[in-house]
């Protein structure tokens, strides 16, 4: 939920106008709008490159994931890992655009641990994957954009840890 929506819902629930602090929060949110859109565009436009770079780095660090018996051993499992990478990257862009972590949780994290456990996908491996995805993504962003995007990756990493 965006900052604007949160402020409006809270004020309405309390039958009041938004406070000056809340209005300042909306103003700050609007001032960062161009940056948030730019970050989302860069991540979306470079999705395949980011996923490729992140997967290479992950499997370089953890070759056991691709080895027989690993969770990305076969081509099918490997393709599913790449699909999940792209999905998590998309979740990050949702959070960045909203300026809030709630879309990440609501759309993608509720029940994810249970799903991975039921599929016998080691959750620590997914944490490793998101760390690699973060590093690859931030390399495409750099500077202030990387600082703005990093907390959304960190939120997923913390949630899965």
């Amino acid at each position: 939920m965006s900052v604007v929506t949160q402020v409006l819902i809270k004020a309405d629930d309390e039958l009041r106008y938004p406070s000056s602090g809340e209005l300042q929060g909306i103003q700050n949110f609007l001032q960062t709008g161009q940056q948030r859109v730019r970050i989302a565009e860069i991540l979306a436009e470079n999705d395949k490159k980011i996923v490729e770079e992140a997967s290479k780095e992950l499997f370089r660090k953890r070759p056991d994931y691709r080895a027989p018996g690993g969770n990305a051993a076969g081509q099918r499992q490997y393709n599913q890992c790449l699909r999940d990478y792209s999905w998590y990257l998309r979740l990050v862009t949702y959070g960045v655009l909203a300026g809030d972590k709630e879309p990440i949780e609501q759309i993608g994290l509720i029940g994810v641990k249970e799903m991975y456990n039921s599929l016998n996908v080691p959750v620590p491996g997914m944490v490793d994957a998101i760390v690699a995805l973060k590093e690859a993504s931030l390399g495409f962003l750099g500077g202030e954009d990387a600082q703005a995007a990093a907390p959304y990756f960190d939120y997923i990493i913390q949630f899965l840890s």
Side-chain angles (χ1 to χ4, degrees), residues 117-157:
N117 286 329
S118 73
L119 296 171
N120 293 319
V121 174
V123 175
M126 289 308 303
V127 172
D128 293 341
I130 303 303
V131 168
L133 188 63
K134 173 187 174 185
E135 292 169 1
S137 297
L138 299 186
F140 279 83
L141 296 172
E144 290 181 18
D145 289 351
Q147 288 178 342
Y152 298 96
F153 289 99
D154 293 339
Y155 181 71
I156 295 170
I157 291 165

Side-chain angles (χ1 to χ4, degrees), residues 90-117:
R90 191 166 17 100
L91 282 177
V92 167
T93 65
Y94 296 165
V96 168
L97 286 170
D100 188 55
K101 296 172 182 93
E102 188 174 336
I104 295 172
E105 182 178 346
Q106 293 296 320
I107 296 169
L109 296 181
I110 295 175
V112 77
K113 284 183 185 178
E114 293 80 9
M115 177 191 69
Y116 284 134
N117 286 329

Side-chain angles (χ1 to χ4, degrees), residues 2 26 33 38 80 82 85 87 113 117-119 123 137 159-160:
S2 75
I26 290 172
R38 180 178 58 248
Q80 288 172 335
L82 297 184
Y85 266 43
W87 182 70
K113 284 183 185 178
N117 286 329
S118 73
L119 296 171
V123 175
S137 297
F159 187 91
L160 292 174

Side-chain angles (χ1 to χ4, degrees), residues 6-142:
Q6 290 174 9
V7 167
L8 296 177
I9 289 173
K10 184 176 180 189
D12 189 55
D13 284 348
E14 296 173 3
L15 302 172
R16 61 175 177 78
Y17 291 99
S19 70
S20 60
E22 290 169 328
L23 292 173
Q24 183 62 47
I26 290 172
Q27 185 174 5
N28 293 343
F29 173 76
L30 295 175
Q31 288 175 343
T32 62
Q34 287 182 336
Q35 179 190 33
R36 288 182 282 106
V37 169
R38 180 178 58 248
I39 292 167
E41 285 176 339
I42 291 169
L43 295 178
E45 289 169 1
N46 293 289
D47 172 80
K48 290 188 186 329
K49 293 176 191 173
I50 292 169
V51 168
E52 181 179 324
E53 188 176 311
S55 64
K56 282 181 183 178
E57 183 61 19
L58 174 67
F59 297 129
R60 184 190 66 74
K61 286 181 179 176
R62 296 297 308 263
D64 55 307
Y65 291 161
R66 289 293 321 243
N71 64 319
Q75 192 60 43
R76 180 172 166 258
Q77 293 91 338
Y78 176 74
N79 290 339
Q80 288 172 335
C81 287
L82 297 184
R83 178 203 61 210
D84 285 357
Y85 266 43
S86 187
W87 182 70
Y88 280 109
L89 188 58
R90 191 166 17 100
L91 282 177
V92 167
T93 65
Y94 296 165
V96 168
L97 286 170
D100 188 55
K101 296 172 182 93
E102 188 174 336
I104 295 172
E105 182 178 346
Q106 293 296 320
I107 296 169
L109 296 181
I110 295 175
V112 77
K113 284 183 185 178
E114 293 80 9
M115 177 191 69
Y116 284 134
N117 286 329
S118 73
L119 296 171
N120 293 319
V121 174
V123 175
M126 289 308 303
V127 172
D128 293 341
I130 303 303
V131 168
L133 188 63
K134 173 187 174 185
E135 292 169 1
S137 297
L138 299 186
F140 279 83
L141 296 172

